[in-house]
Amino acid sequence: MTEQQWKEKNNEKVKQIIDYIANQEYSKLHTITKIDSSWFGDKKTQMEGIEIFAEWLEEQLKIWSEDEGKEFVIDPYNEKYFKIQHFEEDQAFAVFQPHSHNEELDFWFEFTFFIHEDDNIISEFNINI
């Protein structure tokens, strides 16, 4: 699969993920992606990891809002901020640079995509600060 094919196939999935986050619909994330195991470790589930991520993100946005005196949010998906960084025939790594009110935030989302044995594309996301 070419880089462009990876991007086309995963663009809609990343859009859904970012829009769920922007709309604070975290409980829907597990239906379309996994979260990196660093969010939940050996003793917890994917859902618990997503909940931990959601709490962390909401708290971070709240802290920035209080510190800066303006509201911080995650803007809805914008394709120009989605970039494939590395790809091979059966896997790809991409990043999405989130914005708040059209201003770039100090972190980005990372996505790993790979082809499952049933030919479906599996995704996993994380955040890089």
Side-chain angles (χ1 to χ4, degrees):
M1 191 176 309
T2 68
E3 180 177 2
Q4 185 60 34
Q5 288 170 320
W6 272 109
K7 186 169 185 179
E8 289 169 6
K9 287 188 175 286
N10 292 297
N11 188 53
E12 184 59 33
K13 183 174 284 212
V14 172
K15 179 185 184 323
Q16 282 183 295
I17 293 167
I18 299 305
D19 287 347
Y20 283 162
I21 293 170
N23 294 323
Q24 299 174 330
E25 296 176 309
Y26 305 108
S27 64
K28 293 181 179 180
L29 287 171
H30 79 281
T31 64
I32 58 171
T33 192
K34 294 180 178 185
I35 191 166
D36 186 84
S37 63
S38 63
W39 288 97
F40 60 89
D42 295 336
K43 305 277 189 229
K44 297 187 179 176
T45 66
Q46 278 285 317
M47 281 300 296
E48 289 170 309
I50 289 171
E51 289 169 4
I52 292 166
F53 160 77
E55 289 172 15
W56 176 87
L57 181 60
E58 290 299 314
E59 185 62 25
Q60 187 62 54
L61 295 172
K62 180 181 172 185
I63 290 168
W64 286 340
S65 295
E66 290 170 358
D67 287 350
E68 299 288 327
K70 62 182 180 180
E71 180 186 39
F72 278 82
V73 298
I74 302 295
D75 290 345
Y77 180 77
N78 184 327
E79 185 177 359
K80 70 181 176 182
Y81 304 128
F82 175 51
K83 307 280 187 252
I84 298 284
Q85 299 289 309
H86 175 78
F87 74 98
E88 296 177 17
E89 186 175 317
D90 60 350
Q91 64 182 6
F93 178 78
V95 296
F96 179 84
Q97 179 62 61
H99 287 66
S100 176
H101 303 289
N102 296 314
E103 291 182 31
E104 189 174 294
L105 293 172
D106 291 337
F107 63 86
W108 60 89
F109 293 106
E110 298 178 334
F111 298 90
T112 304
F113 304 101
F114 58 94
I115 298 175
H116 192 263
E117 48 200 46
D118 63 4
D119 288 333
N120 286 321
I121 295 177
I122 305 296
S123 69
E124 181 176 276
F125 80 100
N126 201 353
I127 194 167
N128 192 318
I129 302 170

